[in-house]
Amino acid sequence: MTLRRNLLVLVLLCTSLSLSAQQNDLKLWYDKPSGKVWEKAMPVGNGRLAGMVYGNPERETIQLNEATLWSGGPSRNDSETSLAALPEVRRLIFENKRKEAAAIASKAMKSNRDNGMCYQPVGNLYLNFPGHQSYTNYYRDLDISNAIATTSYTVDGVTYKREVFASHANQVIVVHLTASKPGSLTFSAAMWSPQKSNVVTKGKDELVLSGVSGDRDGIKGRDEFQALVKVKLDGGQLATSDTSVNVTNATAATLFISIATNFVKYDDISADESARANAYLDKAWPIPYAKLVSNHVAAYQKYFNRVKLDLGTSDSVKNPTDRRIDGFASGNDPQLVELYFQFGRYLLISSSQPGGQPANLQGIWNKEMSPPWGSKYTININTEMNYWPAEETNLAEMHLPLVQMVKELSVTGQQTATSMYGVGGWLTHHNTDLWRITGPVDGIYSGLWPSGGAWLSTQLWDRYMYNGDKAYLKSVYNALRGAAQFYLEFLVEEPEHKWLVVSPSNSPENNPQAYGNGIAIDAGVTMDNQIVFDIFSEVISAAKILGVDKEFAGKLKAARDRLPPMQIGQYSQLQEWLHDLDSPRDHNRHVSHLYGLYPSNQISPYRTPELFDAARTSLIYRTDVSTGWSMGWKVNFWARLLDGNHAFKLIQNQLTPTGKNRGSSNNGGGTYPNMFDAHPPFQIDGNFGCAAGITEMLMQSADGALNLLPALPDAWPAGTITGLRARGGFEIVSMQWKGGKLAKVTIKSTLGGNCRLRLPNGAKLVGPKDSYGAGTLKTAKGLNTNFFYQNEETAKPIISSQAQLKPTGAKETMLYDFATVAGKTYTLVGI
Ligand code: FUC
C-alpha cells in the first residue's frame, strides 16, 4: 500500500515536473522587473492594439499603441520637378558623371514635401500600488503559447498577480489583477500621453484619454484617437479623482482598455474615434474574465498551434531568458532557437492581422513620437523581410495586410509614375507609410530607388506559389501588372551593351568607392535587374494562367530578353553593379545583389553553379556580424547556400546580447533581453528574417524540388517539426530527423501534382496504401511537371577572366518523384 502510494506520488511528481518543463518551453521569463527599460518589457498585441508590459511592482507601466495612429494625415510626397530633369540625369549617369547627376537629382527629384510620417504611441497606462516597493518571489513572463503576459510577486505575505493580453477575439487589451488574500488589492490607475491630448474620468470607474497625432514635415496631425480604461471589481471600492481611478481593498480587478482612431483608409479619416472606442468597450464589458481568456486563447492558438518545432533541449531552459541569450553563442541551448523561431511567429500574429495594417519597422510596438526611421515601412529590405515567414510557417492570413497595402500602393503609385517619370503603371520608392506615399523619402542616396513596389509585388506572386488559388491571383493581378508596366515603359537602353536598365536608381544604400563618397546614383544595378526579371516573369505566367493580356506578355518577354545578365567580377564575386567595381573589403549591411539567391531563386547550386559560388564569395566578403536584419538575411543566404553550420553561426550572432558581437566594423546587432531584434535600435525585421532562415535550414521549396533538411547544422542532429507549408500547396504535416538524416515525413498535398523531393538520404513511401504509386518512389529526372516547381531559366552569366570559381560543394542528395492527389496525405520513411 505504502509502496503503491509512493509510486503514485512519484508518477504524479514526474508528470508535474515534465509538465512544468514543457510549460516553460514557450515562455520568455525573468526574475526581475523591466525598470525603465522598454526593451525588457513584454510585447502583447492583436494586430491593431498593442501593449508593452513592464512588470514593475510599485508602478506598473503598460505602454500602448494602436496600429493606425500615425503623425500627419492623408498626404502625398511626389517631387514635381523630377520629370523635366529625368533625361539629363540619365545622360549624366551613362556618361559616368555621377556627381553631376546626383547634384541635379538631389535638387529636382528629392521630395520637397514630406519624408514620410511616423508611427506614434497612444500613451501609457500607469497602475500605482502603494506599499509595493519591497517584494519577494518576483516572476514575470510572456507565454507565447497563449499570448498572455504575467507578473507575480509577494508583499507582506500576499501574492499579487497581473495578467495582460491584447484580445484576439474581443478587441480590447485586458489587465487582470488578483491578490491571494481577499480585500488586499489597492491601487490607482492613471494615463499619460506624449500627444496633444487630455485625460478625464467618467463615472466611478473609467478613464478617457482623447488626443490627436503629431505634426511632421509641415503636415498637420489629424489622426484623432481615444483610449478608454474601465475597471471592473471583485470586492472593494471604486472612486475617481480628476485624472485617476482609485481602487481600495478589492480582491480582483479587470481593466478593459479600448482604443480607436478616426482612420478608415489611407485617404479617409472620417470615423468617429470615440464612438468606435466605446463600441469595442461595450461589446467586451459584459464578458466574464474566464471567457475573455478562453476567447482570446482560442483565436490566437488557431494560428500559433499550426507549427511545432523541437530541436532538443538542455539544462539552459532552467535559466531566465536574458541569461540564456547571454550564454547562447558559447553554450548548448537548442531550445532557445525554437523559442526564438516561435517568438517570430508570435510577433507576426500579434502585429499583422487580416483587415489591419502590416507590421512596420517595429511591428506594432513603439513608444516614441519620433521613432527611428519613423517606425514606418522601409521597403528596400525591411518590410519584405517582415513577411518572409508568413507563408512557410503557416501564417498565410497574417500576410493579408501586406497584400492590401500593395493593392493600395498600386493606386497611389500611379500618380508618382506619371508625374515623376512620365510613364504608366505604378511604383514606390524605398519607403511608405500609413498614408501610402510613393515618392522618394530622405536624400536621393537611399531614396531614389524605384523598385520598392515591384519587390513587394513579387511577394504577392510568391503567395500564389503556396496557395495556387486563381481567385487570389486574379485579385492581385492588376497590382502585379502595373508594377511590370512601370518598368516596361521606364527601362532605358544603356549605351555599352544595349541592355535595358532601370535608371536612375541605386543598389540599396551602398555605392562603389569609384563613385565618390555618398554617391550611389546608378543604372542597371544587379538587384534591379533581378527584380525586373522576376516581376516580368511573374506577370507573363499570371497572364497565361488567367488567360489575359497575351500581347502585353509578349512585350514583357521581349524586354526581359534584353535585361543585363548577372556578372561575375575580378574577385570571383557576384557583381553588385553593372561594372566590376565591388571591393572585397565592403562590409555594407545590405547584400542587395544576393536578392537572386534569397528571397528569389535565380541562383541555384544545381542550375547556376558559377553564380552560386560567386554569390557565396560575395557573402564571405561582406562578413557575418552586422545589423540585426542583415544577420537575419544572412541566415537565409547560408541556408540557400546549403551551409547549415554557417547559417547556425549567424543565428549565434543574432542571439547575442546587443553590443556584445565583436570583431567586426558592423558591431552592435543582436538581441535585447525581451528577445526583440536589435538593429540597434529595436527593429523587428531581424526577428522575422531569422525565423524564416531557421525554416529555410529545415525545408526549402524554391529550387525545383521540395528540399528537406537542406542546411541542417551539426548542432541539430535530431528533431521534429510540424505544420510547415511549401510551394505547390504541400504541407509538411510532420517531419522527423535523426543523425542528420530524414527519419520520417508526412506530406499533405492540397493541390495535387508531382511531388519532387530532394532528401539527404534514401526514402520509401509507406502510405497511404491506396495512393497512386504507393510504395514506389521514382528517381526524378528532367523537368518537374509541377508548375509551382518550374524555375525560370537564368541567363548565362558573364564571367571575368580573373575570376577563380570553385565547385558548389553541394552534398549528394536523393531526388524522387511521386504523384499526389489533392487532399491526400503521404508518409515516407528514411532508409
Ligand atoms: C534601411 C537600412 C537601415 C535601417 C533602415 C530602417 O535604410 O539601411 O539599416 O534598417 O532601413
Side-chain angles (χ1 to χ4, degrees):
M1 183 65 193
T2 347
L3 187 68
R4 269 177 57 188
R5 213 184 23 234
N6 283 350
L7 266 176
L8 190 71
V9 170
L10 198 71
V11 169
L12 283 176
L13 203 73
C14 290
T15 335
S16 77
L17 272 182
S18 77
L19 252 182
S20 68
Q22 239 176 32
Q23 281 165 354
N24 260 340
D25 273 3
L26 290 170
K27 280 180 180 163
L28 285 69
W29 71 273
Y30 307 83
D31 53 12
K32 287 181 193 63
S34 304
K36 289 189 174 147
V37 185
W38 189 84
E39 292 83 0
K40 290 184 178 174
M42 296 288 94
V44 297
N46 69 359
R48 190 177 69 82
L49 304 173
M52 291 291 284
V53 184
Y54 282 66
N56 293 336
E58 188 195 5
R59 188 177 206 228
E60 178 61 291
T61 302
I62 302 176
Q63 185 263 309
L64 300 166
N65 285 101
E66 206 276 357
T68 62
L69 182 54
W70 286 62
S71 68
S75 53
R76 296 192 59 88
N77 73 330
D78 311 296
S79 141
E80 278 137 16
T81 45
S82 163
L83 186 57
L86 182 62
E88 176 75 347
V89 167
R90 281 180 163 165
R91 187 180 62 76
L92 290 167
I93 295 172
F94 285 146
E95 287 173 7
N96 202 16
K97 295 182 178 147
R98 288 164 204 279
K99 220 172 155 188
E100 293 84 339
I104 297 178
S106 267
K107 258 191 165 165
M109 296 181 143
K110 193 173 154 341
S111 172
N112 54 8
R113 296 213 193 130
D114 73 89
N115 282 300
M117 293 297 111
C118 296
Y119 178 52
Q120 294 190 325
V122 168
N124 294 347
L125 169 66
Y126 295 116
L127 304 176
N128 295 302
F129 297 84
H132 289 208
Q133 289 90 334
S134 317
Y135 47 84
T136 53
N137 288 334
Y138 184 86
Y139 172 87
R140 71 186 169 105
D141 73 25
L142 171 66
D143 185 344
I144 61 170
S145 75
N146 62 14
I148 298 178
T150 302
T151 307
S152 67
Y153 57 90
T154 305
V155 175
D156 294 336
V158 181
T159 298
Y160 294 90
K161 192 169 163 191
R162 303 173 191 159
E163 288 160 307
V164 184
F165 58 90
S167 172
H168 279 268
N170 298 112
Q171 287 303 320
V172 285
I173 295 179
V174 180
V175 181
H176 187 62
L177 310 172
T178 55
S180 62
K181 198 173 131 208
S184 37
L185 190 63
T186 294
F187 69 97
S188 68
M191 291 192 89
W192 167 87
S193 173
Q195 305 275 9
K196 275 177 241 154
S197 59
N198 74 306
V199 184
V200 295
T201 49
K202 189 171 145 193
K204 271 188 172 175
D205 56 2
E206 195 173 342
L207 293 167
V208 180
L209 165 70
S210 312
V212 63
S213 68
D215 309 340
R216 174 117 176 155
D217 281 359
I219 297 183
K220 209 173 153 35
R222 293 196 287 142
D223 201 342
E224 291 169 6
F225 66 95
Q226 192 164 84
L228 311 172
V229 178
K230 194 167 172 178
V231 184
K232 200 187 253 187
L233 283 196
D234 175 0
Q237 292 88 43
L238 266 169
T240 45
S241 72
D242 282 353
T243 53
S244 65
V245 174
N246 306 314
V247 172
T248 35
N249 302 331
T251 301
T254 307
L255 282 67
F256 293 67
I257 307 172
S258 175
I259 313 171
T261 71
N262 62 358
F263 176 89
V264 180
K265 197 166 158 273
Y266 62 90
D267 57 357
D268 179 358
I269 46 171
S270 64
D272 179 339
E273 64 281 1
S274 174
R276 269 182 171 177
N278 277 290
Y280 288 131
L281 180 64
D282 291 349
K283 240 175 140 185
W285 182 253
I287 305 174
Y289 179 67
K291 184 85 176 95
L292 285 169
V293 172
S294 59
N295 289 350
H296 163 67
V297 172
Y300 169 74
Q301 290 187 341
K302 177 178 148 207
Y303 302 120
F304 184 76
N305 285 356
R306 288 173 183 166
V307 173
K308 294 203 163 52
L309 172 64
D310 182 0
L311 296 171
T313 189
S314 70
D315 270 358
S316 302
V317 295
K318 293 183 193 144
N319 295 330
T321 307
D322 44 354
R323 225 180 302 151
R324 291 176 71 186
I325 297 168
D326 210 13
F328 181 76
S330 56
N332 168 33
D333 190 358
Q335 203 279 330
L336 194 66
V337 178
E338 176 196 335
L339 188 65
Y340 191 80
F341 167 82
Q342 291 289 24
F343 184 56
R345 296 184 66 245
Y346 168 83
L347 292 174
L348 196 61
I349 302 170
S350 307
S351 62
S352 184
Q353 283 283 322
Q357 295 303 313
N360 63 47
L361 282 175
Q362 297 186 184
I364 192 174
W365 298 276
N366 165 44
K367 73 172 188 323
E368 313 273 346
M369 286 294 278
S370 190
W373 295 284
S375 188
K376 50 187 186 289
Y377 299 100
T378 309
I379 47 181
N380 64 7
I381 173 66
N382 318 82
T383 305
E384 287 86 354
M385 183 176 282
N386 283 1
Y387 286 88
W388 288 349
E391 299 294 330
E392 57 187 13
T393 77
N394 216 334
L395 298 175
E397 294 88 341
M398 276 72 255
H399 217 160
L400 288 169
L402 187 79
V403 173
Q404 181 60 25
M405 178 164 92
V406 177
K407 285 183 182 170
E408 292 169 0
L409 292 169
S410 77
V411 176
T412 58
Q414 288 173 22
Q415 193 177 320
T416 308
T418 331
S419 72
M420 280 190 62
Y421 300 117
V423 297
W426 68 278
L427 81 148
T428 62
H429 291 84
H430 95 303
N431 266 254
T432 190
D433 62 13
L434 181 73
W435 316 109
R436 307 302 185 239
I437 56 163
T438 47
V441 161
D442 302 334
I444 62 149
Y445 181 83
S446 51
L448 198 61
W449 181 70
S451 297
W455 187 356
L456 287 172
S457 300
T458 64
Q459 286 190 201
L460 267 48
W461 166 261
D462 206 38
R463 178 176 168 84
Y464 172 71
M465 298 298 277
Y466 284 85
N467 67 25
D469 176 354
K470 284 189 193 162
Y472 160 74
L473 185 61
K474 206 169 165 202
S475 76
V476 296
Y477 180 70
N478 279 343
L480 264 56
R481 186 193 193 280
Q485 190 192 344
F486 167 73
Y487 285 128
L488 194 60
E489 296 180 31
F490 185 65
L491 290 173
V492 283
E493 191 180 273
E494 55 83 42
E496 222 175 307
H497 304 87
K498 314 280 179 222
W499 290 325
L500 292 181
V501 296
V502 179
S503 174
S505 186
N506 58 61
S507 188
E509 307 191 38
N510 198 15
N511 67 291
Q513 279 192 338
Y515 295 176
N517 267 352
I519 297 193
I521 198 161
D522 215 332
V525 303
T526 300
M527 183 193 229
D528 279 346
N529 304 334
Q530 294 169 340
I531 290 177
V532 179
F533 180 85
D534 275 351
I535 192 71
F536 279 9
S537 302
E538 291 160 7
V539 173
I540 293 164
S541 293
K544 193 163 165 211
I545 293 163
L546 299 174
V548 295
D549 276 342
K550 223 171 156 188
E551 203 190 316
F552 181 69
K555 286 187 190 161
L556 294 178
K557 276 185 200 157
R560 188 180 59 177
D561 286 347
R562 295 189 54 200
L563 294 171
M566 280 184 258
Q567 303 182 72
I568 298 172
Q570 56 183 327
Y571 300 112
S572 317
Q573 89 285 10
L574 179 68
Q575 279 181 212
E576 182 163 357
W577 295 278
L578 201 62
H579 300 104
D580 192 358
L581 300 169
D582 305 61
S583 159
R585 284 177 302 281
D586 178 356
H587 298 167
N588 192 296
R589 61 203 180 285
H590 287 264
V591 203
S592 307
H593 47 318
L594 266 56
Y595 161 91
L597 176 68
Y598 186 91
S600 186
N601 56 8
Q602 296 169 33
I603 298 171
S604 147
Y606 307 110
R607 292 176 288 121
T608 66
E610 291 124 334
L611 288 169
F612 179 89
D613 183 52
R616 180 168 53 196
T617 300
S618 288
L619 190 58
I620 292 168
Y621 290 151
R622 278 297 214 261
T623 70
D624 294 339
V625 171
S626 188
T627 60
W629 63 258
S630 179
M631 297 194 284
W633 201 352
K634 288 168 186 169
V635 178
N636 290 277
F637 286 143
W638 283 111
R640 285 280 171 95
L641 290 167
L642 309 177
D643 189 336
N645 286 337
H646 206 139
F648 183 69
K649 152 106 194 341
L650 262 306
I651 296 175
Q652 287 179 313
N653 295 144
Q654 177 86 26
L655 274 167
T656 292
T658 183
K660 271 186 86 178
N661 270 312
R662 290 188 206 293
S664 158
S665 54
N666 284 318
N667 254 352
T671 298
Y672 288 109
N674 66 357
M675 278 231 187
F676 270 171
D677 162 61
H679 180 288
F682 163 51
Q683 220 171 269
I684 206 161
D685 38 20
N687 284 104
F688 295 134
C690 192
I694 292 164
T695 320
E696 286 283 315
M697 291 164 78
L698 301 175
M699 181 208 76
Q700 295 174 18
S701 64
D703 191 13
L706 178 46
N707 194 347
L708 301 181
L709 307 174
L712 198 63
D714 296 340
W716 310 336
T720 57
I721 190 156
T722 70
L724 296 183
R725 287 170 75 239
R727 291 174 180 80
F730 294 114
E731 188 172 325
I732 310 296
V733 178
S734 70
M735 172 168 78
Q736 284 168 32
W737 67 96
K738 282 188 191 125
K741 304 269 180 249
L742 179 76
K744 189 175 175 190
V745 61
T746 299
I747 300 170
K748 183 175 179 191
S749 167
T750 62
L751 300 171
N754 182 52
C755 182
R756 176 166 294 182
L757 285 177
R758 190 180 286 283
L759 306 177
N761 50 299
K764 64 179 185 198
L765 193 58
V766 297
K769 290 270 179 299
D770 61 339
S771 79
Y772 174 88
T776 58
L777 277 179
K778 277 185 296 173
T779 299
K781 275 196 200 79
L783 187 77
N784 191 338
T785 56
N786 189 326
F787 164 78
F788 298 99
Y789 286 82
Q790 293 173 355
N791 300 113
E792 293 292 339
E793 199 177 323
T794 304
K796 250 178 98 54
I798 295 178
I799 305 176
S800 158
S801 58
Q802 283 154 274
Q804 292 176 349
L805 296 174
K806 297 178 294 305
T808 64
K811 284 193 199 123
E812 218 171 292
T813 51
M814 304 298 290
L815 200 62
Y816 294 119
D817 274 346
F818 68 98
T820 70
V821 175
K824 288 219 173 206
T825 297
Y826 302 82
T827 299
L828 295 94
V829 291
I831 48 177

